[in-house]
Amino acid sequence: MSENAYKQAGVDVEAGYESVRLIKEDVKKTAIEGVLGGIGGFGGLFEIPKGYENPVLVSGTDGVGTKLRVAFLMDKHDTIGQDCVAMCVNDVACSGAKPLFFLDYLAVGKNVPEKVAQIVKGVADGCVLAGCALVGGETAEMPGFYPVDEYDLAGFSVGVVEKSKITDGDSAKAGDVLIGIASSGIHSNGYSLVRKIFGLNDDNAKETLNTYSDELGKKIGEELLTPTKIYVKPLLKLIDEIGINTVSHITGGGFIENVPRMLPDGLKAVIKKGTWDILPIFKLMQKKADIPERDMYNTFNMGIGMIVAVDADKSEAAVKCLEASGEKAYILGTLEKGEKGVEIVDTATGEVIK
């Protein structure tokens, strides 16, 4: 067997070396205090920051999911990495932890160094937004397993929080005010339904994505590729300056599944529809596919990517703190005594969405 046997089997080692060369500058810009060494070793090294009396490590892992199909169809790969980072670091921050570092796993059908570099650029951009370091990762070329123009992307993050400052919902109580932080769009959840709504498994999918939508003010594909917002810095600033009692990252399962995760037994969240701006993309999808309203709230974030509960007398200060960080924030409702769960009440009719 020749020395090029591995390449003949579909794995180009030289392309792997070129990918590493191309991503070095993007990785370098994520370096923060605590990083030991650079990429290329067998493990990413990070020193736990000083100043913690009882540091607790908090980890989170996730992937981009079927939103990747939109990137494939649009042949645009420079933002999808931010989605991967966001889905991990936002979860980590919900415990009050500061993300320290991130690692990605990229599996490709064919290693095209320029495409890999674009994907990792998005990862690095996300790490910068989160204030964490990209300390390593893995690119696996898997010919015959993935089509040559497709890939999968996942990753994980580790953060740190003082044990006494962990946000676990124990402080939540009836009368707390719920504040929602606006999302940038669909984020990275519900794309199996999104693809069905817009026919992205059909032969004319590319044409659909390149169609300008008056409702959206942009092409459909541009809207669907809007990267997931990273809430780490504004959320940690809010925790530090104002204080919160509990928090929920609104991901897959929307309001219905995620809001109860922030609550202790004996409390329910009462959220008033009409107190925030539902983004046009959600209205368009609901109308286009005639989706029941509860299903929308059980699938999508509906324009709210993060919900926090604060003491009632801190609610206005919390909104101002978030706005000072450049976020749109809305007072959504309150916590009340009752069976753990969430009620979404239409302010126009007073009816609970069922």
Side-chain angles (χ1 to χ4, degrees), residues 16-17 48 50-51 59 98 109 115 172 206 209 220 270 290 306 341:
Y17 299 153
I48 295 179
K50 296 178 175 62
S59 59
K98 179 190 185 306
K115 181 186 287 188
K206 290 184 179 180
L209 290 172
I220 291 172
V270 179
D290 193 24
M306 192 80 76

Side-chain angles (χ1 to χ4, degrees), residues 9 72 77 89-90 98 136 171 210 273 290 305 324:
F72 302 159
H77 311 280
V89 297
N90 286 341
K98 179 190 185 306
S171 300
N210 283 292
K273 176 193 171 186
D290 193 24

